[in-house]
Amino acid sequence: DAGITQSPRHKVTETGTPVTLRCHQTENHRYMYWYRQDPGHGLRLIHYSYGVKDTDKGEVSDGYSVSRSKTEDFLLTLESATSSQTSVYFCAISVKGDSYEQYFGPGTRLTVT
Amino acid sequence: GDSVTQMEGPVTLSEEAFLTINCTYTATGYPSLFWYVQYPGEGLQLLLKATKADDKGSNKGFEATYRKETTSFHLEKGSVQVSDSAVYFCALHRGGKSTFGDGTTLTVKP
């Protein structure tokens, strides 16, 4: 257990509203990631962070922004939610070592109506 | 860019059957390779890993060997159980990021 929590776990919001998802870790890992999971697409990387205030885009970053002001928190913001952003969002950390395996949070199910 | 292609599912087996889920990858250099498992309503969990060519990862009766010559990392288990029913993801990690396959759903029937 890498001590990763996500909040909220479920959210329903309306098109056009901003939404922020939070990922919190307790073990000071440097690398953190946000993914979305959709049927038929596996996991797709949205943004990732390699340290406080150091972030970079993944393959599906349009419409999303992130912030990391503390090591333990990584926030994902949907600036103006659209129905295509209905998905399950997973946060992950990467454990430094010989392989950098990832450990995942429990996920947030977001529905945009 | 990097990519991972895994066997399309769903896969349905009877208990005690032999399992193979194929995975091939495209990447430059020497990525680390992983299999993750996801149970309903949960996040992904690391199942096994291999960090260099010819390494064999193993865990809970599952095995996979890093084959650089064929760029493959096929998952195998000799005798599956009902409790192995889940979605399995092949992944590689390189340059600070991971790339995942689309997942293969396994259902094991008693």
Side-chain angles (χ1 to χ4, degrees):
Chain A
D1 182 2
I4 305 168
T5 57
Q6 293 184 231
S7 59
R9 293 293 314 281
H10 302 271
K11 187 170 182 66
V12 180
T13 192
E14 293 184 349
T15 298
T17 60
V19 177
T20 296
L21 309 182
R22 179 180 183 242
C23 177
H24 178 79
Q25 57 141 331
T26 60
E27 298 183 1
N28 291 321
H29 294 292
R30 180 181 171 195
Y31 285 88
M32 298 184 76
Y33 306 81
W34 277 108
Y35 295 93
R36 59 178 290 174
Q37 184 177 29
D38 305 289
H41 290 280
L43 265 71
R44 292 182 290 176
L45 181 64
I46 304 171
H47 282 279
Y48 66 107
S49 171
Y50 40 96
V52 172
K53 299 187 179 178
D54 288 326
T55 64
D56 207 347
K57 296 179 179 180
E59 61 180 299
V60 290
S61 59
D62 287 348
Y64 301 95
S65 62
V66 290
S67 66
R68 192 165 179 204
S69 58
K70 298 185 290 184
T71 300
E72 59 265 35
D73 289 324
F74 192 31
L75 304 181
L76 176 70
T77 297
L78 288 65
E79 293 138 10
S80 177
T82 68
S83 59
S84 64
Q85 293 175 312
T86 293
S87 187
V88 180
Y89 291 86
F90 287 101
C91 174
I93 59 95
S94 188
V95 176
K96 186 177 179 181
D98 60 349
S99 62
Y100 289 88
E101 63 258 31
Q102 299 200 347
Y103 292 87
F104 288 80
T108 294
R109 182 172 295 276
L110 176 67
T111 303
V112 183
T113 61
Chain B
D2 297 346
S3 67
V4 175
T5 302
Q6 63 180 98
M7 175 177 169
E8 288 189 20
V11 175
T12 302
L13 297 173
S14 297
E15 204 165 25
E16 299 184 1
F18 184 85
L19 168 71
T20 299
I21 301 177
N22 291 336
C23 172
T24 58
Y25 68 90
T26 301
T28 56
Y30 300 92
S32 295
L33 302 177
F34 306 88
W35 277 99
Y36 291 87
V37 59
Q38 184 180 34
Y39 299 101
E42 299 182 6
L44 279 67
Q45 303 173 25
L46 178 67
L47 179 60
L48 54 82
K49 65 180 182 182
T51 59
K52 60 184 185 295
D54 300 325
D55 267 3
K56 177 185 283 188
S58 61
N59 186 26
K60 300 180 181 179
F62 292 90
E63 294 182 339
T65 301
Y66 191 143
R67 301 288 188 198
K68 190 160 180 62
E69 64 275 14
T70 54
T71 62
S72 64
F73 193 54
H74 304 321
L75 182 68
E76 296 183 336
K77 186 175 185 183
S79 176
V80 294
Q81 305 300 312
V82 172
S83 57
D84 293 327
S85 297
V87 182
Y88 292 82
F89 291 90
C90 184
L92 66 84
H93 190 93
R94 190 183 69 84
K97 298 186 292 183
S98 289
T99 301
F100 292 81
D102 289 345
T104 301
T105 300
L106 170 67
T107 301
V108 180
K109 296 189 173 182

